[in-house]
Amino acid sequence: MEDTGAPELDLMAVLPRLTQLGTVLNRSRLVERAMERAEITLDRPAMTVLVTLHTADRPLRVGEIAERMKVVGPHVTRHLNGLERQGLVVRVADPDDQRARLIELTPEGKAIPDRYLRTILGWFGDAMTDWSAEDRKTFGSLLDRFVDDLTSRLAHLDDE
């Protein structure tokens, strides 16, 4: 192992907590429980498509949805077809390229991830109810930074 000095000690102290967080999120069945609580009967990948569209600032192309979900396009297309049959998404013309299609949530499609996210965010908010506003802000900033940096570093491993 490369000698990284004191920071390694800090990382070794954090590693068990990161592992515990992963375990808590997986074993708690967080996604499934939130979907049950919000009375959502979709499968998890379809829910992920809806959340991806819901959190975007605009309608997205299939490739953009796939990229954000870190999956391949055909996987997304299969779920979009089902969501479209259920009236939860529609395909609309791309104003920048009339040949291309964008995926947009219908009003019914917007309501589902809204209920789901309110449930999840309510649980997260409850867990941080005694945190100061500054602690919440710091946690959010550091978590953003950690996820971005880790994602970037791991992407380099994929390229090797």
Side-chain angles (χ1 to χ4, degrees), residues 29-78:
R29 298 181 41 252
L30 181 75
V31 171
E32 292 79 7
R33 285 183 180 185
M35 289 174 61
E36 289 169 12
R37 174 77 52 96
E39 299 179 349
I40 298 167
T41 58
L42 300 171
D43 63 16
R44 189 175 183 158
M47 186 72 235
T48 304
V49 170
L50 293 182
V51 169
T52 300
L53 287 165
H54 186 76
T55 57
D57 58 349
R58 59 186 169 70
L60 301 173
R61 290 183 178 198
V62 172
E64 291 174 300
I65 297 168
E67 183 179 319
R68 291 177 185 213
M69 290 177 59
K70 307 292 186 218
V71 298
V72 295
H75 175 79
V76 172
T77 299
R78 184 172 44 256

Side-chain angles (χ1 to χ4, degrees), residues 7 12 21 32 35-36 56 59 73 79 82 84 87 95-96 105 116 120 127 131 143-144 157:
M12 288 302 293
L21 177 60
E32 292 79 7
M35 289 174 61
E36 289 169 12
H79 292 290
E84 190 173 31
D96 298 327
L105 293 170
Y116 170 80
I120 294 275
W131 293 26
L143 186 60
D144 278 348
L157 293 177

Side-chain angles (χ1 to χ4, degrees), residues 104-120:
E104 184 175 74
L105 293 170
T106 65
E108 296 82 10
K110 289 177 185 174
I112 291 172
D114 185 57
R115 288 195 324 262
Y116 170 80
L117 291 170
R118 270 188 307 202
T119 301
I120 294 275

